[in-house]
Amino acid sequence: MGYVDGFVMAVPTANKQAFIDFARKFDPVFLEFGALRVIECWGDDVPHGKQTDFFRSVAAKDGETVCFAWVEWPDKATRDAGMQKMMEDPRMDPKANPAPYDGARMIYGGFTPVVNLS
């Protein structure tokens, strides 16, 4: 059933185009290293919760938009190998390719799908 990496980040709203440009430059590397699909989403209906919410999860500040992304892989082994290659690839160096958001507040994780409806 594949494997999925999920990411949530707070992006300065003024950096929307920079976020899109960064994703268009960065995301093809996932595909190069075995990912099947990469989806980047700009939050437009993200409610504030009473106990938990996306904003708190990434310590979003005023003037920031919560964004969500995921990467689909054929399996965990391909993902593990692909992520290792990404960490070693000089194109991924944050000094050479800085993200338009605070990566220290990004949350991410790998997930095994248990239901997949199409």
Side-chain angles (χ1 to χ4, degrees), residues 7 23 26-31 35-40 69-72:
F7 306 87
F26 180 78
D27 292 352
V29 180
F30 281 110
L31 300 175
L36 301 173
R37 184 165 78 145
V38 181
I39 304 292
E40 301 277 357
W70 71 91
V71 180
E72 295 177 12

Side-chain angles (χ1 to χ4, degrees), residues 10-86:
V11 180
T13 303
N15 287 357
K16 182 177 182 180
Q17 189 58 52
F19 173 78
I20 293 167
D21 295 342
F22 177 79
R24 288 179 193 239
K25 181 177 180 182
F26 180 78
D27 292 352
V29 180
F30 281 110
L31 300 175
E32 181 181 332
F33 293 142
L36 301 173
R37 184 165 78 145
V38 181
I39 304 292
E40 301 277 357
C41 304
W42 188 261
D44 72 357
D45 185 15
V46 183
H48 287 275
K50 292 184 180 182
Q51 290 186 325
T52 62
D53 60 29
F54 280 108
F55 292 94
R56 285 184 213 143
S57 72
V58 293
K61 302 172 186 172
D62 287 341
E64 291 184 326
T65 298
V66 174
C67 296
F68 177 72
W70 71 91
V71 180
E72 295 177 12
W73 302 90
D75 52 54
K76 188 172 188 304
T78 302
R79 178 268 198 165
D80 290 348
M83 291 300 272
Q84 181 65 39
K85 289 176 186 175
M86 289 185 73

Side-chain angles (χ1 to χ4, degrees), residues 8-11 56-61 64 94 99-108:
V8 180
M9 71 257 1
V11 180
R56 285 184 213 143
S57 72
V58 293
K61 302 172 186 172
E64 291 184 326
Y101 53 86
D102 180 1
R105 291 186 287 137
M106 178 176 68
I107 61 171
Y108 57 91

